[in-house]
Amino acid sequence: METSSEERKISGQQEEEELPKRKKGGLITMPFIIANESFEKVASYGLLPNMILYLMKDYKMSIARGTNLLFFWSAATNFMPLVGAFLADSFLGRFLTIGFGSISSLLGMIILWLTTMIPQAKPPPCNPAQNCQSPSGVQYAILVSAFALMSIGAGGVRPCSQAFGADQVDRRDNPKNERVLETFFNWYYATACFSVLIALTVIVYIQDHLGWRVGFGVPAILMFLSALTFYLASPFYIKLKPGKSLLTSFAQVVVAAYRNRKLTTLPQNSSFQYHHKKDSSLVTPSNKLRFLNKACVIGDPEQDIGLSGSAKNPWRLCTVEEVEELKALIRVIPIWSSGIMMSINTSQSSFLLIQAKSMNRHLTRKFQIPAGSFGMFTIVTIVLWIPLYDRVFIPLASKLRGKPVRLSVKVRMGLGLFCTLMAMVLSGILENIRRKRAIHEGHYSDAQAVLNMSALWLVPQHCLNGLAEAFNAIGQTEFYYSEFPKSMSSIATSLFGLGMAVANLLASVILSATDHITKRGGKESWVSSNINKGHYDYYYWLLAVLSFVNLLYYLVCSWAYGQCREQKSKVEDERNGFETELETR
C-alpha cells in the first residue's frame, strides 16, 4: 500500500507540474533561443581568425607564443562545455547555465575590447630601433582573463542551448511532435552554419578595415544582444529541474568496483545476484571489462538493497545498466583518440592566416578576401558535401550497383583521416613553392611582403580539411550514437568537443617542441614569426607524418573494436533474408 500511495503522490505531482508547463514553451520561444546561440557564435568565432595578428602586433608575441596561447584558449573553450553540461544536469538546470554563460562571455568580450581602448592594458609601440617590449604580468593577466571568461561562457551556452530549445517544443502527446522537433533542429543547424560564415566574413572584414576597436566592439555588442534576447523570454520558458548526471554515474561505477575489489568470485548467469533496474532486459553484465562487474554484484541484499528495490548506497552498488554504460564509453576511447590528429591539423589556423596574408588575395582590383576569412572554405565544403553525398553520390552508386550502397561509419571515419593526411601533404607542397618564390623575389627578410601568387591556391587544402571533418567528425558522432545506449546521447555529442580540447593541448606541445628543437644552435626556427625565414613546409610535413602513423593506428583500433552495431544488424538482416529464402524454396 505504501508503494501505491507513493506512486499516486508522484503521479499527482507530475500532473500538477505539467499543467503550467503546457502554457509555456512552444515555437514562440525559438527565436530567442536561436538568437542567443547565433549571436554567441558570431561573436566568439569572429574573434579567433585574426587574433594571432592582434597578439603579434599589439602584444609583441612571436607566432609560436601567440599560437600556443590560442591553443590553450581553444582547449579551454572545447573542454568547458563538459563542465557546463555536468553543472546543468546536476545542479543549475539549463536555463541558469545558459544565462550565466551568456553573462560570462559578455564580460570577457568587454575586457578584450577594453584592451584596445586603454593604452596601459598592452605593451607600448616599438621604438624606431624596433626594440619591442613584451607584455607585463598584469597586461598578460588581463588578456588571459578575457579569454578565460569567454571560455567559461561557451561552456554554459553551447552544451545547453540545443537541448534547452528541444525542451520547449518536445510534447510527447502531440502527434506532430517529431515534425516540430525536426523543424527546430533544421533551423538550429542552419543558423549555426550561417552564424559561423558571418563570423568568418563580416566580422573579419570589419577588423581588417575598421581596426581592432570596432572589430572587437561589434562582437561585444552582439554578445550583449545574445544575453538580452535570452532573458527577454524568461517568463515563457519551460525550465526543467536538474537530475542525475551521467558523469556522476560513471564515477559511482568506478568507486563501487574499487570498493568491491576484494570479491574473489563473480557469479555468472545468476541474475538475482546482480543489481538491475526493474523490468530491465539487461540483467547480467557482459564479459568484457569484467573487473567493472563487481560494481553491480549484490553482496548482502539486506544491507545493499532498500525497500523500494534501489541501492541504499549508489557509491557501493550500481545497476547493470550503469556498468554497461561505462563499458561502452571505455570501448570507444581508442577510436575516439584516433580522431584527435585530425583536430590538431585543422587547428593550425594561425599559420594558414600568415600564409594567406603573404599572398595576393585580390578577387578584383578593389576587393580582396580578408586573410582570416579563408576558413569559410572549410565550412562551405562541409555544407555542400553533406547534401551531395546523401542526395547525389549514394543514390547514384546504388543505381549503378543495382542494390543499396552505403559507406559504413568506420569507413567514413577512415576516409576523413586520409583527407586530413592529404591536406597536410598539400599544405607542405604549397608552402614550399610559396617560400621559394618569396626568396626568388627578394623577400627573404621581409615578412610583410605580398607575393605575386594567388592566395586561392590555399583553397584546396581548406576543402580537404572540410571533407575530413565531413567524413570523420560527423562519422564519429554517428558512431557514438549507434554504439551508446540512448541514455548516453549527451555524452555522444560531448566526446568530439573533448577530442578537440585534447587536440589543442597536443598541438601546443608539438608546436613548442618543434620551435625549441629547430632553433637550437642559433638556427631559424621552422615556425619563425618571419614566414619566409622559417620552414612552415617542414612543419606541415611533420604533421603529415604523424597523420600517416595515426591512420595506421586507427586501422588497428577499428580492427580490434570488431563489428559495430550497424554491421551486426546488416549481418543479421542478410542471415534472416537467407533463411527466409530457404524456407520459401
Side-chain angles (χ1 to χ4, degrees), residues 210-232:
L210 299 179
W212 301 118
R213 292 184 177 184
V214 179
F216 288 171
V218 170
I221 293 173
L222 292 176
M223 197 61 234
F224 171 76
L225 294 176
S226 173
L228 179 64
T229 53
F230 180 74
Y231 280 110
L232 280 177

Side-chain angles (χ1 to χ4, degrees), residues 34-44 222-223 225-226 229:
I34 292 177
N36 169 256
E37 171 77 3
S38 300
F39 284 137
E40 189 273 338
K41 269 189 165 54
V42 173
S44 57
L222 292 176
M223 197 61 234
L225 294 176
S226 173
T229 53

Side-chain angles (χ1 to χ4, degrees), residues 6-117:
E6 288 180 1
E7 290 177 351
R8 285 195 299 269
K9 184 178 180 181
I10 294 173
S11 176
Q13 290 176 348
Q14 290 177 343
E15 289 177 359
E16 290 175 2
E17 290 178 357
E18 287 177 359
L19 288 175
K21 286 180 182 177
R22 287 175 182 171
K23 298 178 181 178
K24 296 185 177 184
L27 294 177
I28 192 176
T29 61
M30 290 304 96
F32 300 94
I33 296 173
I34 292 177
N36 169 256
E37 171 77 3
S38 300
F39 284 137
E40 189 273 338
K41 269 189 165 54
V42 173
S44 57
Y45 280 86
L47 291 174
L48 186 59
N50 277 338
M51 187 58 69
I52 185 62
L53 298 179
Y54 183 62
L55 298 180
M56 293 174 68
K57 291 181 179 180
D58 288 53
Y59 277 83
K60 314 303 184 290
M61 295 186 187
S62 67
I63 188 173
R65 185 183 181 188
T67 302
N68 274 328
L69 178 58
L70 295 183
F71 279 150
F72 287 127
W73 179 27
S74 297
T77 301
N78 287 314
F79 177 75
M80 287 306 295
L82 284 178
V83 179
F86 172 75
L87 292 176
D89 290 345
S90 303
F91 302 105
L92 300 177
R94 295 188 180 111
F95 173 76
L96 287 179
T97 305
I98 296 173
F100 290 148
S102 299
I103 294 174
S104 180
S105 288
L106 175 60
L107 291 175
M109 291 181 188
I110 290 175
I111 293 175
L112 183 64
W113 173 69
L114 288 175
T115 64
T116 69
M117 302 297 293

Side-chain angles (χ1 to χ4, degrees), residues 508-577:
S508 177
V509 172
I510 294 171
L511 176 62
S512 298
T514 302
D515 182 48
H516 178 72
I517 293 173
T518 57
K519 69 181 181 183
R520 286 177 178 174
K523 297 179 181 178
E524 193 73 32
S525 170
W526 285 4
V527 289
S528 170
S529 297
N530 186 326
I531 185 175
N532 299 325
K533 287 185 176 181
H535 271 287
Y536 292 8
D537 49 350
Y538 295 170
Y539 179 64
Y540 284 134
W541 286 332
L542 171 63
L543 295 178
V545 172
L546 295 176
S547 298
F548 177 73
V549 174
N550 180 71
L551 180 59
L552 298 179
Y553 168 71
Y554 168 75
L555 294 175
V556 173
C557 293
S558 179
W559 169 79
Y561 187 88
Q563 290 184 330
C564 51
R565 289 191 179 183
E566 65 169 1
Q567 292 173 320
K568 291 178 182 178
S569 300
K570 183 178 179 181
V571 170
E572 290 177 359
D573 291 342
E574 291 178 352
R575 184 183 302 163
N576 293 335

Side-chain angles (χ1 to χ4, degrees), residues 417-492:
L417 297 180
F418 177 75
C419 287
T420 193
L421 164 63
M422 295 308 299
M424 290 301 101
V425 172
L426 182 61
S427 298
I429 293 174
L430 181 66
E431 172 56 22
N432 185 267
I433 296 172
R434 191 213 61 80
R435 184 176 183 273
K436 286 181 178 179
R437 179 168 292 190
I439 296 173
H440 178 72
E441 294 180 7
H443 301 309
Y444 179 75
S445 300
D446 187 5
Q448 304 301 321
V450 177
L451 309 183
N452 186 25
M453 179 179 179
S454 176
L456 293 179
W457 285 106
L458 296 171
V459 173
Q461 65 199 58
H462 282 284
C463 292
L464 281 172
N465 281 328
L467 288 176
E469 291 201 37
F471 278 122
N472 189 271
I474 296 175
Q476 276 193 63
T477 304
E478 183 179 338
F479 174 72
Y480 303 142
Y481 265 110
S482 63
E483 295 302 295
F484 289 168
K486 289 184 178 180
S487 58
M488 295 178 65
S489 58
S490 60
I491 297 295

